[in-house]
Amino acid sequence: MQDTHILTLSCPDQRGVVHAVSGFLLERGGNIEEAAQYNDHDTGLFFMRVQFAGGGLGADALRAQIPALAERFAMRWQLHEAAQPMRTVIFVSREGHCLNDLLFRWKSGLLPLDIRAIVSNHRDFYQLAASYNVPFHHIAVGKDNKAQAEARQLEIIDGEGAELVVLARYMQVLSDAMCQRLAGRAINIHHSFLPSFKGAKPYYQAHDRGVKLIGATAHYVTAALDEGPIIEQDVARVDHTHTVEALTAAGRDTESQVLARAVKWHSERRVLLDGHKTVVFK
């Protein structure tokens, strides 16, 4: 992966974009290892992700030369070194299944992350964080100190240079200002019973209604609660034999898997925003 870069871009759909991008890389000795593209006919936008190696040019030199290409096509673009893990901060409250899963996958080499810190409004998982040698920050959040708490959270995020914030069952609503600061780089996970089963104990409500499917949704955080651009979803079948406990366990497994896939794709630069939707190059 050394000297391998990932270029992502979006622009108005037009002739010659793929030819121009591949030619740009060819002229600089780059070898395309993976490429994906998508034309959104509803919005008239074109999306592309290219992973390429070689060329002898570093990221800084490439960034200095791409703007001339981008200007021709009105591109929005980003360039990243493929071998550089994404600096990440994880938020959690008192349900640790998603946190535990992410930490295990990270340490197993399955997620290209650099987990810099864990932030929680409770102390429950400080020992888990210590077992992975990750700094743990307890920041109590209440209606009287929410602004101060979020300011401290942002200090940690900025201090660690985090590109990604994962809300791994963090049970606090972020302020509009916080959502704006983290736009496009904060991922949340929730059960997919919304809006059918709002409020406390959704699995109890689902069990009471005799549902046959449970699920989870991973999405980017926006000021509109649980309505941000969706990255990944999945479901699990259940039936009348499932107790509330079995239903909850199945739901937590689904949440962990969905969040892990969303985090993996985001950290591999495979997710591009398309208005209130996403384009995911799996």
Side-chain angles (χ1 to χ4, degrees):
M1 296 289 285
Q2 191 171 6
D3 194 30
T4 300
H5 297 85
I6 297 170
L7 173 65
T8 57
L9 62 92
S10 62
C11 64
D13 188 22
Q14 55 203 288
R15 292 166 58 106
V17 178
V18 175
H19 180 270
V21 171
S22 58
F24 174 88
L25 297 177
L26 175 64
E27 291 167 2
R28 287 151 184 82
N31 179 48
I32 295 176
E33 299 179 335
E34 181 182 341
Q37 64 191 67
Y38 172 68
N39 303 64
D40 188 337
H41 296 292
D42 293 329
T43 63
L45 294 176
F46 173 83
F47 300 85
M48 190 174 187
R49 177 189 184 274
V50 183
Q51 181 172 308
F52 61 96
L57 291 177
D60 290 340
L62 286 168
R63 288 191 185 96
Q65 297 180 25
I66 291 175
L69 170 68
E71 187 176 357
R72 287 173 51 197
F73 297 96
M75 288 179 184
R76 299 179 62 182
W77 60 275
Q78 290 186 327
L79 181 72
H80 300 277
E81 297 178 47
Q84 186 68 38
M86 182 173 288
R87 290 185 168 222
T88 301
V89 172
I90 300 178
F91 282 31
V92 67
S93 289
R94 279 184 155 158
E95 295 182 33
H97 51 286
C98 288
L99 171 65
N100 190 55
D101 182 77
L102 290 173
L103 290 171
F104 178 79
R105 291 175 189 266
W106 165 56
K107 277 300 185 183
S108 300
L110 301 176
L111 294 174
L113 303 178
D114 178 8
I115 298 179
R116 307 290 297 182
I118 295 170
V119 175
S120 181
N121 55 327
H122 298 282
R123 300 183 186 274
D124 298 49
F125 299 114
Y126 77 93
Q127 290 179 317
L128 177 62
S131 72
Y132 283 93
N133 199 29
V134 177
F136 182 87
H137 302 271
H138 172 241
I139 303 175
V141 181
K143 60 181 179 181
D144 296 328
N145 77 326
K146 190 176 183 69
Q148 295 91 331
E150 288 192 342
R152 175 62 184 137
Q153 291 167 350
L154 285 170
E155 282 181 10
I156 295 169
I157 293 168
D158 294 342
E160 297 295 348
E163 299 176 77
L164 173 63
V165 174
V166 182
L167 306 186
R169 300 301 290 164
Y170 180 65
M171 307 307 291
Q172 292 287 325
V173 178
L174 303 186
S175 68
D176 290 0
M178 184 80 155
C179 291
Q180 291 173 7
R181 283 286 300 273
L182 300 178
R185 60 186 180 114
I187 298 175
N188 188 32
I189 183 71
H190 68 72
H191 54 81
S192 286
F193 297 131
L194 295 175
S196 299
F197 304 112
K198 291 183 178 180
K201 297 185 175 181
Y203 289 105
Y204 282 79
Q205 297 180 55
H207 181 265
D208 185 60
R209 288 290 303 277
V211 300
K212 307 306 181 202
L213 283 175
I214 59 174
T217 298
H219 61 90
Y220 286 116
V221 174
T222 64
L225 183 63
D226 292 329
E227 294 184 12
I230 293 170
I231 305 170
E232 173 65 339
Q233 294 177 295
D234 206 350
V235 296
R237 295 205 65 86
V238 295
D239 59 36
H240 63 279
T241 66
H242 283 71
T243 63
V244 171
E245 292 75 18
L247 206 68
T248 302
R252 287 175 174 172
D253 285 345
T254 305
E255 290 169 7
S256 297
Q257 294 168 29
V258 168
L259 182 59
R261 289 198 292 268
V263 168
K264 184 176 190 295
W265 295 335
H266 178 92
S267 60
E268 293 176 344
R269 320 287 179 177
R270 297 184 181 276
V271 186
L272 281 70
L273 284 169
D274 182 9
H276 61 274
K277 302 184 295 183
T278 62
V279 173
V280 183
F281 292 124
K282 300 178 184 177

